[in-house]
Amino acid sequence: MVNRLTTQDAAFYFLEAGTTPMHVGSLGIFRQLRNGIDHEELLRLVEERLGSVPRYRQRVREVAFGLARPVWVDDSDFDITYHVRRSALPKPGSDEQLMDLIARLTSRPLDSTRPLWEMYLVEGLSRNRFAIFTKSHSSLVDGEAAPEISQVIFDPEKNRAPGPEELWMPARPPSDTSLLVSAMADLVTSPGEGIARARAAFNDVTTSVTEAVSALGKLAEVVRTATQVAPSSPLNATISRNRRLAVAKTSLEDYRRIRARYGCEINDVILTVIAGAMRNWLLSRGEPVTEATIVRAMVPMSVYTDGPESPDVDDPQAPGHVSSFLIDLPVGEPNAVVRLSHVAHATEAFARQGRRVTAQTMVRMSGFAPATLHAMSSRAASSLSQRMFNLMITNAPGPQFPLYLGGARMLEMYPVSPLLKNQTLSIALTSYDGNVYYGLNADRDAMSDVDVVRSLIFESLEELTDASR
């Protein structure tokens, strides 16, 4: 029996391109222990937890002639030291130097001949801190069979008992002949997919696989009828493979106060803050902004399905999936409170279509964590035509208590979502331990002023906070 990539996994695997690496990133900043966390200690910890994410020891193997979807096979030459790496910042070890390093690491595609992930221990960070940055390919993380590795190496307690020792032996890889026989059998049982694979082999792989994802129609559910192309925007342009990264840390309590004042959702407040930042960014570039100007955003969210098979919202073990909707951010509206009203009405229309999961429920759900949710959100956005939206915004609630790595407390948690084709900026957010963390991943050439957006996020939140008083 071969472990074949699902249609969706295969789609994200083939969507990989030189200018659009399809991996999600997670950056954690930690307080260094007195005796320190070194590379050997991190290797030991990761290797101990790999049994919880077995796909992280598997690589993708394509089938000859493209007759079937690729398969997952154990990497017989798996080398943990290749995947868990060490880096250091020169003095003074500033946050700006860290972001430059993470941007360079984000720009590099993963090696498709090995398991599709990497982890970096970054030492030399000022104020007695260190960082952990992980990269996982979108085809690797599906939220169920394969959560993101950050989910299993972080602990809710400072002192965590070591896990049981595991002796892992790679399974014997299938031969080329057996893969061809299995592919032929699949062609007989699923002739429709066989036609799609034939088209992929002799025409355009990306187009065919994307059509397969669209035909599946289970991952992305667009509430708004998106028959119109997104408005022209500097957020959409030809991009390079090089990236810039900016981050912002804000207080969760500010969003809670605004929510209580206006009776909306925290996600509405976040989208309004981003709308205000986008408005002022466009003005800073001298772009024409009228009352009718909008930025169409793709907002993947975690929801439950409707119907008799739907799980109970209060069930902490209930599985969910990611649903996507498009929202027109009213960047032409000068009044922050009116912007919030527009956003709240738009998201309420989506809420009537499905039952959203509360942040507390998602944090308790087995198999879900912020990095995993960001990966699933990127998968959802990737299945839609990029001509339908200007900007992708992923928002994954995290735990409101400290997490630890080998006893070291995580101080900050920044997500890094991938750039899609012709998208110059993606915004990812994670709430953690009383704060909301923004990760702004931008094309280095097309959006060299991403730090301006970072500053404008603070200004937009302050504007909304002042109005709510």
Side-chain angles (χ1 to χ4, degrees), residues 4 18 24 26 184 195 220 224 239 247 312 389 391 418-419 453:
R4 201 175 301 285
V24 293
S26 177
M184 296 302 293
I195 295 173
R224 180 186 300 274
I239 61 174
V247 298
D312 186 352
F389 58 96
L391 174 68
L419 285 187
V453 179

Side-chain angles (χ1 to χ4, degrees), residues 37-48 80 84-86 119-122 130-133 153-154 405-406:
I37 295 287
D38 59 17
H39 186 237
E40 293 298 323
E41 175 68 12
L42 181 61
L43 281 171
R44 183 199 61 78
L45 176 62
V46 173
E47 198 161 25
E48 179 184 283
I80 186 67
V84 181
R85 306 177 180 186
R86 183 182 185 183
M119 178 180 296
Y120 293 83
L121 168 64
V122 183
F130 70 94
I132 298 290
F133 178 63
I153 66 171
F154 298 153
L405 174 74

Side-chain angles (χ1 to χ4, degrees), residues 204-222:
D204 183 359
V205 172
T206 301
T207 301
S208 297
V209 176
T210 305
E211 288 175 356
V213 176
S214 301
L216 189 62
K218 292 181 179 179
L219 187 62
E221 300 168 354
V222 182

Side-chain angles (χ1 to χ4, degrees), residues 224 231 267-280 282-283 288-297 299 325-347 390-391 393 460 463-464:
R224 180 186 300 274
N267 192 60
D268 299 333
V269 182
I270 287 173
L271 292 176
T272 303
V273 168
I274 294 175
M278 289 292 99
R279 168 184 169 82
N280 291 327
L282 290 171
L283 291 172
V289 176
T290 67
E291 291 184 0
T293 302
I294 62 168
V295 167
R296 181 169 295 171
V299 185
F325 72 100
L326 298 177
I327 180 171
D328 291 342
L329 299 179
V331 298
E333 173 54 56
N335 187 292
V337 177
V338 177
R339 282 199 300 269
L340 177 59
S341 177
H342 287 318
V343 169
H345 283 299
T347 58
N390 306 116
L391 174 68
I393 303 171
S460 181
E463 179 187 18
L464 201 54

Side-chain angles (χ1 to χ4, degrees), residues 235-282:
L235 290 167
N236 303 112
T238 302
I239 61 174
S240 67
R241 62 173 296 175
N242 300 315
R243 302 289 181 260
R244 292 183 187 270
L245 181 67
V247 298
K249 174 183 177 181
T250 58
S251 172
L252 180 58
E253 188 58 33
D254 290 338
Y255 300 88
R256 287 172 171 165
R257 282 195 293 264
I258 297 169
R259 176 191 63 180
R261 171 69 175 82
Y262 294 107
C264 57
E265 302 290 339
I266 285 182
N267 192 60
D268 299 333
V269 182
I270 287 173
L271 292 176
T272 303
V273 168
I274 294 175
M278 289 292 99
R279 168 184 169 82
N280 291 327
W281 174 73
L282 290 171

Side-chain angles (χ1 to χ4, degrees), residues 223 265 301 303 306 325 344-356:
V223 173
E265 302 290 339
M301 299 183 67
V303 301
D306 288 326
F325 72 100
H345 283 299
T347 58
E348 185 179 3
F350 172 73
R352 288 195 294 267
Q353 301 291 327
R355 297 157 57 196
R356 287 187 289 180

Side-chain angles (χ1 to χ4, degrees), residues 6 8-9 52-56 138-148 151-152 218-219 302-305 311 317-322 365-369 372-373 375-376 379:
T6 67
Q8 295 162 357
D9 292 342
S52 301
V53 282
R55 194 169 288 175
Y56 275 69
S138 297
S139 64
L140 183 67
V141 182
D142 63 10
E144 297 177 4
E148 207 271 343
Q151 186 171 330
V152 301
K218 292 181 179 179
L219 187 62
S302 227
V303 301
Y304 285 115
T305 56
Q317 303 299 323
H321 71 282
V322 171
M365 284 166 59
S366 174
F368 284 82
T372 301
L373 286 171
M376 296 173 65
R379 288 162 63 101

